[in-house]
Amino acid sequence: MAVIVDIKTFAAIGAGVIGSGWVARALAHGLDVIAWDPAPGAEKQLREKVANAWPALQRVGLAEGASQSRLRFVDTIEACVANADFIQESAPEREELKLALHEQISRAAKPDAIIASSTSGLLPSDFYARAVNPQRCIVGHPFNPVYLLPLVEVLGGERTAPETIDAALHIYRSLSMRPLHVRKEVPGFIADRLLEALWREALHLVNEGVATTGEIDDAIRFGAGIRWSFMGTFLTYALAGGDAGMRHFMQQFGPALELPWTKLIAPKLTGELIDRVVDGTAEQVGPRSIKQLERYRDDCITSVLAAIGEAKARHGLTPAD
Ligand SMILES: NC(=O)c1ccc[n+]([C@@H]2O[C@H](COP(=O)([O-])OP(=O)(O)OC[C@H]3O[C@@H](n4cnc5c(N)ncnc54)[C@H](O)[C@@H]3O)[C@@H](O)[C@H]2O)c1
């Protein structure tokens, strides 16, 4: 099966939070980008989002020829995908919508173009069921902001060809991403399963009045969050076992897993809980606009990535290690 490995034209279907992030990343890598989104005013909003992301992308370093002017916004799905080498769908997370959309996208796409979906946890075998040439269809699940965070989870459905997975891994690497091939097709993949478990516990803590949303965020950002950005949970815990290592750690903290401290089942989203979360985060946001906060977040992410990259280099590692 022929799949395109070196891409020149990137198509973005859906230009919301995630789609605009893909557009910004692809433009920063010197690609031509064609976008389509059915919402009124979508083009203006997309161009504003890309402009807001651009200073951070300049700090990271733009590829030769990278320019916001290489974005073309079109009126139909067909015009968006017809000449694209790589198509990234970032439409709303509804299976029926993605099922119909991918039937249309795959009919209009070049036969050797790769089609990827940003879905957060739907199964590719399900929503590519009506796609033409499903062997070239994959999931490429990114993280917000897509133009800065390197991780993208890649997985195929039952009918995806292994060559497509290999080509997608290569293409995402060429966009300076760190693809992670998910071995099994499971709902929620890897990262969102972990994040949802944390999110459920955080909501319980708010619901029970144990902590405010800001205090819970403090518990992450001054502690585990800093470690997670370069070591993850398992290697961190291997060190927590001291010289005796991971086996000792498992013996020491195993009993706590039996208690258990966590609730696992999500709390009911009552009006009161929603109010507490919304009011709590509004207080954290304060007078800052979302665009201002995005620039603050981007500044912190680029600084953290640069600092970790330098530290890794001192230990003989690359940013992708
Ligand atoms: N927000 C996140 O943190 C995040 C992270 C990773 C993956 N995702 C996934 O990315 C996808 C998009 O999520 P989002 O957060 O960008 O949502 P969003 O609501 O910000 O954007 C969705 C966009 O799709 C457009 N749209 C509506 N109907 C459409 C259609 N039929 N075809 C194409 N576009 C259509 C909307 O106008 C909107 O601009 C979802 O599958 C979501 O699960 C989201």
Side-chain angles (χ1 to χ4, degrees):
M1 191 196 94
V3 281
I4 294 175
V5 178
D6 292 312
I7 62 168
K8 294 188 178 56
T9 307
F10 184 102
I13 295 283
V17 173
I18 295 304
S20 63
W22 281 114
V23 169
R25 182 177 277 276
L27 288 171
H29 281 78
L31 298 179
D32 290 315
V33 179
I34 310 179
W36 174 79
D37 188 298
E43 177 173 4
K44 182 168 176 284
Q45 281 184 25
L46 170 59
R47 291 192 189 276
E48 282 170 9
K49 287 191 200 116
V50 171
N52 204 46
W54 211 252
L57 288 164
Q58 281 172 318
R59 272 198 303 283
V60 174
L62 298 175
E64 209 183 305
S67 166
Q68 294 179 61
S69 66
R70 289 176 70 176
L71 167 61
R72 196 154 62 83
F73 194 91
V74 292
D75 289 340
T76 64
I77 292 176
E78 284 71 21
C80 184
V81 304
N83 294 314
D85 305 316
F86 190 89
I87 299 156
Q88 184 82 36
E89 166 270 309
S90 310
E93 186 80 336
R94 294 204 301 276
E95 190 168 311
E96 279 306 305
L97 184 151
K98 288 199 196 281
L99 195 64
L101 186 58
H102 281 294
E103 185 175 5
Q104 198 178 346
I105 292 172
S106 62
R107 279 188 198 289
K110 295 195 282 196
D112 52 354
I114 292 181
I115 302 174
S117 171
S118 300
T119 179
S120 298
L122 300 175
L123 298 182
S125 294
D126 294 341
F127 66 81
Y128 284 128
R130 304 207 302 252
V132 180
N133 298 331
Q135 67 275 10
R136 43 80 184 264
C137 298
I138 57 143
V139 165
H141 173 226
F143 294 81
N144 188 38
V146 179
Y147 50 90
L148 293 180
L149 292 187
L151 183 63
V152 54
E153 293 181 311
V154 176
L155 64 147
E158 282 155 13
R159 295 181 296 166
T160 308
E163 300 92 300
T164 305
I165 299 278
D166 289 344
L169 297 175
H170 172 88
I171 290 165
Y172 285 131
R173 278 190 202 104
S174 74
L175 292 171
S176 312
M177 299 185 89
R178 174 63 162 77
L180 182 63
H181 182 199
V182 181
R183 293 159 189 265
K184 286 192 179 180
E185 194 185 0
V186 290
F189 319 138
I190 300 171
D192 277 354
R193 266 175 78 167
L194 299 173
L195 292 175
E196 194 185 80
L198 185 76
W199 175 228
R200 271 194 234 112
E201 289 309 310
L203 290 174
H204 275 300
L205 289 166
V206 174
N207 203 32
E208 292 162 10
V210 176
T212 65
T213 60
E215 287 162 352
I216 293 167
D217 282 354
D218 289 348
I220 299 290
R221 67 198 181 102
F222 293 110
I226 298 174
R227 291 190 310 218
W228 277 334
S229 64
F230 57 92
M231 262 192 175
T233 294
F234 282 106
L235 189 53
T236 295
Y237 284 172
L239 269 63
D243 287 337
M246 196 64 186
R247 195 169 293 283
H248 171 65
F249 178 84
M250 304 252 338
Q251 280 158 357
Q252 191 177 5
F253 293 101
L257 289 175
E258 300 282 333
L259 289 176
W261 291 344
T262 45
K263 306 237 163 160
L264 304 175
I265 308 277
K268 201 168 159 28
L269 285 185
T270 59
E272 194 188 338
L273 175 55
I274 292 173
D275 284 349
R276 270 197 210 176
V277 171
V278 171
D279 294 348
T281 46
E283 199 171 308
Q284 290 176 263
V285 169
R288 296 171 290 183
S289 72
I290 293 295
K291 283 226 161 17
Q292 274 174 330
L293 273 175
E294 283 172 347
R295 286 195 296 273
Y296 164 71
R297 174 201 64 192
D298 291 356
D299 203 358
C300 290
I301 292 177
T302 52
S303 304
V304 168
L305 288 176
I308 292 175
E310 282 167 25
K312 282 182 174 175
R314 286 196 293 278
H315 292 263
L317 301 171
T318 72
D321 286 322

